[in-house]
Amino acid sequence: MAGLNHVEVDEALEMVRAVHRSGVTIVLIEHVMRVVVGLCQRCVVLNFGQKPGPGRASGDPSRSACDRSLPGEKYAQRMAAMAERSVLMQAQGLRAGFGSGPVLFGVDLEVREGELIALIGANGAGKSTLLGALSGLVPLMAGGSRWRVRT
Ligand SMILES: Nc1ncnc2c1ncn2[C@@H]1O[C@H](COP(=O)(O)OP(=O)(O)OP(=O)(O)O)[C@@H](O)[C@H]1O
Ligand SMILES: [Mg+2]
């Protein structure tokens, strides 16, 4: 369903549900998480055609996308290695927005030395607002951040 807009995805979801309600079992090959979580009762993750590490290959589609998208062992190793590194920036419970109300609701974020973090979201999701809140350009309504700045 890549390339469909939100309305088209909703229509497609309803069509698939209608087919399923008629008694047909459907095997769906899909990477749009809203579709997977919205439709699937069981899921199997493939990474370059292979099931990821033990215990992570199949199960409840409502588990976090991140948890299911990296091969289990490699992901665990990376996370363990990263936990050893010192924290450069830590934000907790950030709430921020504009006159019309909050855009960010309780954002927690931690960045460690050498870590690369991608901030991904739809237009208007609040990416720039988060960067503004972290840098002090957008005033906070709640929460705060601590930085370890190298001089
Ligand atoms: N200066 C502003 N005053 C009022 N509302 C704002 C302002 N800047 C952003 N918003 C609103 O805050 C919400 C989040 O916008 P933001 O610019 O943070 O999204 P974004 O994820 O950076 O989007 P994009 O991908 O388009 O850059 C939107 O609803 C937007 O209309
Ligand atoms: Mg932006």
Side-chain angles (χ1 to χ4, degrees):
M1 298 196 195
L4 300 186
N5 66 34
H6 280 274
V7 175
E8 292 165 339
V9 167
D10 285 339
E11 287 173 3
L13 284 175
E14 203 34 61
M15 284 169 59
V16 175
R17 284 194 192 107
V19 173
H20 183 248
R21 276 197 298 272
S22 74
V24 177
T25 297
I26 298 170
V27 177
L28 181 80
I29 300 173
E30 180 59 64
H31 76 281
V32 176
M33 289 311 297
R34 185 160 83 86
V35 173
V36 174
V37 171
L39 288 177
C40 297
Q41 292 160 340
R42 299 278 302 163
C43 78
V44 175
V45 176
L46 295 178
N47 185 50
F48 290 93
Q50 303 290 319
K51 283 185 179 180
R56 289 175 181 270
S58 62
D60 176 3
S62 66
R63 284 166 55 196
S64 87
C66 180
D67 192 34
R68 284 178 283 112
S69 62
L70 276 173
E73 264 178 54
K74 209 169 173 183
Y75 176 72
Q77 283 166 8
R78 279 191 199 166
M79 293 310 286
M82 201 50 76
E84 303 288 311
R85 301 193 180 179
S86 59
V87 175
L88 292 182
M89 191 281 294
Q90 195 169 38
Q92 269 184 331
L94 292 186
R95 186 179 179 89
F98 306 92
S100 52
V103 170
L104 309 177
F105 299 85
V107 175
D108 297 328
L109 181 66
E110 194 176 78
V111 182
R112 290 174 182 265
E113 198 162 332
E115 190 173 22
L116 295 176
I117 293 185
L119 183 59
I120 299 172
N123 292 130
K127 303 178 295 291
S128 296
T129 305
L130 176 57
L131 295 179
L134 290 172
S135 63
L137 291 174
V138 175
L140 296 180
M141 297 166 175
S145 62
R146 288 188 295 127
W147 293 73
R148 203 194 85 203
V149 180
R150 199 181 294 163
T151 52

